Amino acid sequence: MLRGSFKKIFKFQSIVTSDIVRKVAHYLHSRSEIVKYEFETSDGAQYDTESIEDIIGYSNPSDAMIEKISLIAQKKEEDRYLAQNFIIVKFYDRGAWDSSASLYIADASSDEIAAISKELGGIIKLAKANYSWLYSSKFLKFIGLILSMAISILLYSYVVTLIKESNPSWYIVYLLLQFAILGCLFWLFIKIREWAYPESVFNIGEQEASYKKIIKRRNYILGVISTIVLGVLSSICATKYF
């Protein structure tokens, strides 16, 4: 039977909860009796432990937030455990790493690789935030198109009509204003997205309360955006049809 290794990198916005970490730990224990844990925090500290409760029970304060969690199952051979690691699962803060999670399987049969990658991959994907689509390139292009169209209509309706006759270079002014406003609005969108929809959250310890505050921010932002969109649509309709 074929034997080999397997590695997969997960790139999505993530919310890592105590429940998800426990599920990974439980799965690793079903494959190996010895499972070790490591985690790193934003103040530069690194911790090693043999109990998952040391991670779940970590206070996780804002000045020393968890940035990386590693769960490591060791391989057993002939009734002894080797120094070689069998399965490694890691969760990352995407602000510090370019990945949200990774899975590594070492020296396993093809059947083991297929089963473990499917089962553990399913658990890891539970950490995927339901707003990951906000970070997709297609959505960003869509937002850019919508903003560009709205700015074009508003500028043409309220600015061009005022300067068109008196300024022969009105079209250049129109384009410059459009690009400047579009750039500012897009920058504002990116900042609001980071503020209300963070790329990674380790929803453990004190950060559980912090994440609840983020949800409140999100609801507030959605209310403001809805009001602005309705106002713009009403203005455009009033200009075009009345």
Side-chain angles (χ1 to χ4, degrees):
M1 182 179 292
L2 291 173
R3 297 191 69 83
S5 299
F6 173 88
K7 184 176 183 179
K8 183 172 183 178
I9 303 297
F10 298 82
K11 294 189 176 184
F12 48 66
Q13 286 58 52
S14 61
I15 302 173
V16 181
T17 64
S18 300
D19 184 54
I20 292 172
V21 176
R22 278 200 176 96
K23 284 182 178 179
V24 173
H26 178 74
Y27 182 86
L28 294 182
H29 274 292
S30 72
R31 291 279 180 173
S32 174
E33 291 180 11
I34 293 183
V35 180
K36 296 183 178 180
Y37 309 95
E38 301 171 359
F39 68 101
E40 300 178 17
T41 55
S42 58
D43 61 349
Q46 298 181 353
Y47 301 97
D48 299 329
T49 178
E50 294 184 359
S51 173
I52 190 63
E53 296 306 320
D54 289 335
I55 297 178
I56 303 305
Y58 177 65
S59 59
N60 204 19
S62 296
D63 59 348
M65 290 190 298
I66 295 173
E67 288 191 336
K68 180 180 177 182
I69 296 176
S70 303
L71 302 93
I72 305 161
Q74 289 192 328
K75 190 170 184 63
K76 186 176 183 181
E77 186 175 281
E78 297 179 355
D79 296 325
R80 63 190 181 93
Y81 286 91
L82 307 177
Q84 177 185 3
N85 296 321
F86 177 32
I87 308 171
I88 304 175
V89 176
K90 296 183 180 181
F91 292 102
Y92 307 92
D93 176 0
R94 289 201 68 177
W97 286 271
D98 188 37
S99 306
S100 49
S102 65
L103 167 61
Y104 178 70
I105 306 168
D107 188 25
S109 68
S110 56
D111 289 344
E112 285 179 313
I113 289 175
I116 295 171
S117 60
K118 179 180 179 181
E119 293 160 0
L120 257 184
I123 298 173
I124 292 171
K125 287 178 182 178
L126 293 175
K128 184 176 182 179
N130 58 8
Y131 54 77
S132 288
W133 56 274
L134 285 172
Y135 284 80
S136 69
S137 58
K138 290 182 179 180
F139 180 74
L140 292 179
K141 290 176 183 177
F142 173 75
I143 286 293
L145 177 63
I146 294 297
L147 288 176
S148 181
M149 292 175 59
I151 292 167
S152 297
I153 294 172
L154 290 173
L155 282 178
Y156 202 88
S157 300
Y158 294 103
V159 177
V160 172
T161 52
L162 297 176
I163 66 172
K164 191 173 184 179
E165 294 183 1
S166 60
N167 190 341
S169 302
W170 67 269
Y171 195 74
I172 296 176
V173 175
Y174 166 69
L175 288 178
L176 290 175
L177 280 173
Q178 184 177 5
F179 284 126
I181 295 173
L182 180 60
C184 290
L185 288 178
F186 205 78
W187 175 85
L188 182 62
F189 167 77
I190 296 297
K191 291 300 179 182
I192 290 174
R193 184 185 66 177
E194 292 173 355
W195 184 59
Y197 299 88
E199 282 205 83
S200 301
V201 176
F202 282 94
N203 202 17
I204 296 170
E206 292 181 16
Q207 297 312 305
E208 291 183 1
S210 297
Y211 187 62
K212 289 179 181 178
K213 292 180 181 179
I214 291 174
I215 293 175
K216 290 181 179 179
R217 288 181 201 165
R218 192 177 301 164
N219 293 335
Y220 175 76
I221 292 297
L222 289 174
V224 171
I225 291 175
S226 299
T227 302
I228 292 174
V229 169
L230 289 175
V232 170
L233 290 176
S234 299
S235 178
I236 293 173
C237 291
T239 301
K240 291 294 181 181
Y241 302 110
F242 298 98

